[in-house]
Amino acid sequence: MEIISSKTLFKVYNKILFLWHKNEKKIKTLDQAIKLLSLWKNSFLEMVNDLIIVNCYLWHEEDKARASSFSSSKIAKVKHNIDYANQCRVNKVENIDKHIVNCINNVKDKTTKKTPLNSETPGSIIDRLSVLSLKIYHMNEQIKRKDASKDHKGKCKNKLNTLFEQKKDLSGCFDKFIRDLL
């Protein structure tokens, strides 16, 4: 099994977040976003890449769903997009987990050691880390806003510090889990 670390995951997340926001106006559908922004082909990183794209799409569709200026029919379309993207997200997390299980089964020795248990799967942790990267990206945007008050920016900086601590903690959990699996 290829060794994947949280550091590698965040390299993928950050690259996709940059490209997403650079190309955001061109992106109309989730499938279009995946075609446009998929950088890694035929590898585990392709699955990670596509998961962060789905989460970017969901993030921005959910923003649209909260817009008060949209008509009911537009909100219904956005909600449909969110449902479709959520199902894609679930499928992508499951595919990541299947890939990891297959890799473990291919290299598992004949000892009686059992695979360690965890409260969540590697795929679900990868998903949570990708959402965390989105939160960090958007909290940074709030801090950089020219029209935001000092109070707002201060609250955002505090939240950002909490997000960085969560990133450190969850990254450590993921890295340990992968080492234990290996």
Side-chain angles (χ1 to χ4, degrees), residues 40-65:
W40 290 267
K41 299 291 182 195
N42 302 316
S43 74
F44 181 76
L45 292 182
E46 179 180 15
M47 290 185 265
V48 173
N49 180 114
D50 291 354
L51 180 60
I52 185 66
I53 292 169
V54 171
N55 281 327
C56 284
Y57 183 81
L58 271 167
W59 183 280
H60 291 88
E61 288 298 296
E62 288 168 351
D63 277 350
K64 290 177 190 175

Side-chain angles (χ1 to χ4, degrees), residues 163-177:
L163 292 171
F164 279 129
E165 187 165 335
Q166 291 172 348
K167 175 185 174 184
K168 179 183 165 221
D169 292 346
L170 190 54
S171 294
C173 291
F174 175 78
D175 291 337
K176 182 183 181 320
F177 190 26

